[in-house]
Amino acid sequence: MSRILIIEDETSMRRALTDLLSAEGYRVLTAADGETGLQRALEEKPDLILLDVMLPRLDGFAVCAELRRLSRAVPVLMLTAKGQIEDRVTGLDAGADDYLVKPFSTEELLARVRALLRRFQRHGKAAERFRLGEIEIDLARQTARRGKKPLHLTAREFAMLRLLAEAEGEPVTRERFLDVVWGYTAFPTTRTVDNHIAGLRSKIEPNPDDPRWITTVHGVGYRLEAGEK
């Protein structure tokens, strides 16, 4: 049974989420502040984290960023009353996998929990480390190197590479990128995907104008050409 850690300082919300998820058969762990939540995440190794943004001692953005720095690949669903696009971007850049704005329906929360658990259960089937020419990608640690030199990629760029790697040579549609990498509401246009693919190509392709590794499948999306695992 999947284990879900709820990091939420509001007692009523924490209890409501615990009751809801327990009724669905999940094993629930809780923490009332960011520092305790981070410690429980590292010690208990849950399958998914529901993470509030406004937390005492350590906010949700800092908790998520620290988890990613320590190479914890657990999926993170951020819960917050903030709905501005800047806050969603900050959360996703910190390493969150999806974003849900309060108030939300229980049906939508459960649907997103199921989707994240399914997605991460499939991750084990894809290579966690692979090479694209002189570049070595480590998806688990979210690190990249060109030879001996570190290469800076954002959490979202690693998520895009993971989705491409999981497709195992099949094309990934722009809509699929939006659904998996950005979540349901963060960015509504497929042009966003094209812009981020262009940015990723500029970092990993020898010639971004004639890409070798991330190729365009016209009318569909993008495909990752086979590298060395």
Side-chain angles (χ1 to χ4, degrees):
M1 183 56 61
S2 296
R3 301 160 69 248
I4 299 177
L5 172 61
I6 300 169
I7 308 177
E8 167 65 66
D9 65 319
E10 294 183 20
T11 302
S12 58
M13 175 63 76
R14 191 169 64 250
R15 288 176 177 171
L17 290 171
T18 298
D19 291 344
L20 173 66
L21 294 168
S22 296
E24 292 294 314
Y26 298 109
R27 181 182 171 189
V28 180
L29 312 168
T30 64
D33 63 78
E35 191 173 292
T36 303
L38 177 60
Q39 182 177 355
R40 293 212 73 181
L42 296 173
E43 292 176 352
E44 301 283 351
K45 297 179 173 58
D47 299 297
L48 184 144
I49 297 174
L50 300 187
L51 178 62
D52 189 34
V53 169
M54 303 301 293
L55 293 168
R57 303 179 72 180
L58 200 64
D59 69 30
F61 298 136
V63 171
C64 191
E66 185 66 5
L67 283 171
R68 298 313 184 217
R69 187 186 72 81
L70 296 172
S71 305
R72 286 292 293 127
V74 58
V76 174
L77 174 57
M78 278 197 161
L79 307 176
T80 182
K82 292 185 175 182
Q84 290 83 3
I85 192 67
E86 294 82 3
D87 296 309
R88 295 183 230 172
V89 170
T90 300
L92 292 166
D93 279 342
D97 300 282
D98 203 353
Y99 203 102
L100 194 55
V101 178
K102 302 174 185 176
F104 47 79
S105 70
T106 57
E107 292 82 4
E108 183 176 12
L109 172 67
L110 291 173
R112 295 200 187 197
V113 164
R114 291 191 296 266
L116 282 172
L117 288 171
R118 284 196 305 269
R119 186 198 315 170
F120 274 76
Q121 285 165 0
R122 292 195 299 267
H123 281 177
K125 299 178 181 179
E128 290 293 304
R129 297 180 63 181
F130 56 91
R131 296 185 66 88
L132 301 174
E134 62 179 350
I135 295 176
E136 182 177 354
I137 307 291
D138 188 326
L139 296 174
R141 294 180 176 275
Q142 292 205 333
T143 60
R145 304 182 70 87
R146 177 181 282 111
K148 296 183 179 181
K149 183 179 180 180
L151 181 65
H152 174 70
L153 301 180
T154 67
R156 188 177 291 117
E157 288 169 338
F158 278 112
M160 297 180 80
L161 283 171
R162 180 181 289 279
L163 191 57
L164 286 163
E166 288 176 348
E168 298 181 335
E170 295 297 318
V172 179
T173 66
R174 293 172 175 84
E175 291 76 13
R176 177 68 174 158
F177 277 113
L178 287 173
D179 182 22
V180 173
V181 178
W182 277 266
Y184 295 81
T185 59
F187 287 99
T189 67
T190 55
R191 183 60 183 168
T192 301
V193 177
D194 296 333
N195 290 338
H196 279 77
I197 287 288
L200 186 54
R201 281 172 169 168
S202 72
K203 295 180 180 181
I204 68 173
E205 295 282 358
N207 180 3
D209 294 328
D210 185 19
R212 165 68 180 87
W213 306 115
I214 302 177
T215 58
T216 302
V217 181
H218 294 288
V220 180
Y222 299 95
R223 175 172 52 217
L224 184 67
E225 301 298 335
E228 301 175 27
K229 297 181 181 179

